[in-house]
Amino acid sequence: EVQLLESGGGLVQPGGSLRLACEVSGFTFSTDAMSWVRQAPGKGLEWVSFIGGRGDGTYYADSVKGRFTIFRDISKNTLYLQMNSLRAEDTAIYYCATTGYTTTWYPFDYWGQGTVVTVSA
Amino acid sequence: DIQMTQSPSSLSASAGDRVTITCRASHNINNYLNWYRQKPGKAPELLIYASSTLQSGVPSRFSGSASGTDFALTISSLQPEDFATYYCHQSFDTPYTFGQGTKVEI
């Protein structure tokens, strides 16, 4: 059974940093693509970042490019999102999701439960 | 970037009703169109991918269709657990983009 468990969210001041983690189980993490998707309070879904299978290729939304970094530690079965220079508009629930695990059409097939990030003074 | 225009933003319906939600892509996305249901306070869940393929375990009352850059999600008979928010999403090209969402209310 595929399971994703996010952690690392919290309250941070504008300009601060936070590292989110997504521990995965139930699939071959080293070869599968993953994404981060966020949802601001009361708003819709926004894709944030993608990392390809085997770590080849990373992509970012313009809103986070240059501030966020996606990477994985295969030995720990964990996906990360390093978030620097945080802004109030980064306040959201952050979800990690498998991307194309069940099909090469690349939907977000499995999701974690989310971790809350609040950027406020 | 590919824009996804979803409509309506909300709708009211009753259990047993048939409802249809539409999504239009600003560019050709070769049917790389997915639909999700998000219940209040929960993570989204994948319903349909490739515009019309039902994800494993999803009830057959959900169906998807496509015509060019226009896509539709139909629920044939609303169940209590279907009162939720629905999103379309294109996975053709980054930046991946979502529709604005459709809230289905009683």
Side-chain angles (χ1 to χ4, degrees):
Chain A
E1 180 189 5
V2 174
Q3 291 191 319
L4 310 173
L5 183 63
E6 300 98 334
S7 61
L11 175 64
V12 61
Q13 293 187 337
S17 297
L18 215 53
R19 178 178 291 182
L20 306 183
C22 172
E23 187 174 356
V24 310
S25 61
F27 66 103
T28 310
F29 177 64
S30 60
T31 58
D32 289 293
M34 300 286 296
S35 294
W36 287 96
V37 176
R38 69 184 181 183
Q39 187 169 36
K43 302 297 184 182
L45 300 170
E46 179 189 17
W47 168 76
V48 173
S49 184
F50 167 96
I51 184 167
R54 300 179 179 83
D56 54 331
T58 58
Y59 302 88
Y60 299 92
D62 285 347
S63 57
V64 306
K65 200 173 294 182
R67 301 187 298 122
F68 290 12
T69 303
I70 188 172
F71 62 101
R72 70 174 86 196
D73 185 334
I74 295 171
S75 67
K76 296 182 178 180
N77 271 1
T78 302
L79 174 74
Y80 296 96
L81 185 68
Q82 177 66 42
M83 305 187 297
N84 299 331
S85 303
L86 282 161
R87 306 166 179 167
E89 54 265 35
D90 296 318
T91 295
I93 301 171
Y94 284 74
Y95 297 100
C96 64
T98 62
T99 309
Y101 172 68
T102 54
T103 170
T104 54
W105 290 87
Y106 287 99
F108 303 129
D109 8 37
Y110 294 97
W111 298 65
Q113 86 292 344
T115 188
V116 177
V117 173
T118 303
V119 184
S120 175
Chain B
D1 297 1
I2 299 171
Q3 308 301 318
M4 306 301 295
T5 303
Q6 187 174 340
S7 62
S9 56
S10 66
L11 65 89
S12 295
S14 301
D17 284 354
R18 178 185 181 92
V19 300
T20 297
I21 299 166
T22 62
C23 190
R24 172 170 289 176
S26 62
H27 300 79
N28 176 37
I29 57 172
N30 282 346
N31 287 339
Y32 278 77
L33 190 283
N34 314 297
W35 290 99
Y36 303 86
R37 175 178 65 181
Q38 186 178 31
K39 299 175 183 176
K42 301 294 187 181
E45 53 184 323
L46 177 65
L47 299 174
I48 286 172
Y49 64 89
S51 77
S52 61
T53 303
L54 215 58
Q55 172 71 339
S56 176
V58 173
S60 59
R61 64 180 181 273
F62 292 95
S63 63
S65 63
S67 177
T69 57
D70 292 331
F71 302 88
L73 170 71
T74 297
I75 310 170
S76 60
S77 178
L78 274 172
Q79 300 301 301
E81 61 268 30
D82 299 333
F83 291 95
T85 302
Y86 294 82
Y87 295 92
C88 62
H89 153 238
Q90 65 83 14
S91 52
F92 179 69
D93 195 14
T94 58
Y96 294 142
T97 44
F98 289 91
Q100 302 94 320
T102 297
K103 186 173 184 179
V104 177
E105 301 174 294
I106 298 174

